[in-house]
Amino acid sequence: MADTLREILLDPSRRPAVVKDLHQLVDAEVSDKSGVSGMAVKGGYAVLKKINAGFVPETIDNMLDSFVERAEPFYADFQATGGGSLADYFEGRRSEVADALLGVSDARAAASQRDSVKKVYSKLRPQAQKHVEEALPRLASVIESHARTAA
């Protein structure tokens, strides 16, 4: 039985399905954006997909190990509390969980040798926090779905 996120999400036999599901999560989150900022997100995402259709799933796959490492303590605590849904658990800690997940891209931006990347990232980071917090219920659903198949 898989008890850790590493066992659930990084198992080589399940990883392609996990990446696919997370890609669908990103597509759904982008699709749900509204207003002026939503139009900007949708437009940028469409251009990105047109330039390189494989970019998003490749990036998810490349960053998945780091995301799992950052999310593992939350999942372990959720398991230890022994009840409720993962979505409810994440909701109660939405800022903390989102900040931990964004730590992956924070580290990448900080390691960049390009000041322009650092500058743009620092301006986008507050909105990224909001978007990741909004995506946590779907992320919990993906994790719970794979946890059921890993059991």
Side-chain angles (χ1 to χ4, degrees):
M1 179 164 143
D3 293 323
T4 67
L5 280 184
R6 175 169 291 286
E7 294 168 330
I8 295 165
L9 301 179
L10 301 183
D11 180 277
S13 67
R14 279 189 296 280
R15 188 178 183 117
V18 170
V19 170
K20 180 182 176 195
D21 289 348
L22 292 173
H23 184 201
Q24 290 172 343
L25 179 154
V26 172
D27 284 349
E29 286 296 320
V30 170
S31 178
D32 286 354
K33 299 301 173 201
S34 61
V36 175
S37 65
M39 285 177 39
V41 169
K42 287 177 182 179
Y45 191 65
V47 168
L48 177 66
K49 286 173 67 173
K50 189 170 229 159
I51 291 170
N52 182 353
F55 179 80
V56 174
E58 289 168 13
T59 302
I60 290 168
D61 191 39
N62 290 337
M63 297 174 78
L64 185 57
D65 291 49
S66 297
F67 285 129
V68 167
E69 181 181 325
R70 298 243 179 195
E72 192 76 68
F74 296 102
Y75 191 73
D77 186 56
F78 165 72
Q79 294 285 79
T81 61
S85 73
L86 185 57
D88 290 342
Y89 177 87
F90 281 173
E91 179 60 33
R93 295 154 186 81
R94 57 186 302 166
S95 178
E96 194 180 349
V97 174
D99 196 50
L101 294 174
L102 283 167
V104 175
S105 54
D106 292 347
R108 285 181 172 225
S112 175
Q113 300 299 315
R114 300 172 67 188
D115 288 338
S116 60
V117 169
K118 292 178 183 182
K119 185 176 181 178
V120 169
Y121 184 79
S122 70
K123 288 184 179 188
L124 295 175
R125 176 59 162 81
Q127 282 300 319
Q129 177 85 21
K130 176 181 165 254
H131 293 308
V132 172
E133 288 179 10
E134 291 170 351
L136 289 176
R138 281 186 172 131
L139 177 60
S141 178
V142 168
I143 292 169
E144 289 180 322
S145 171
H146 286 280
R148 282 190 297 275
T149 63

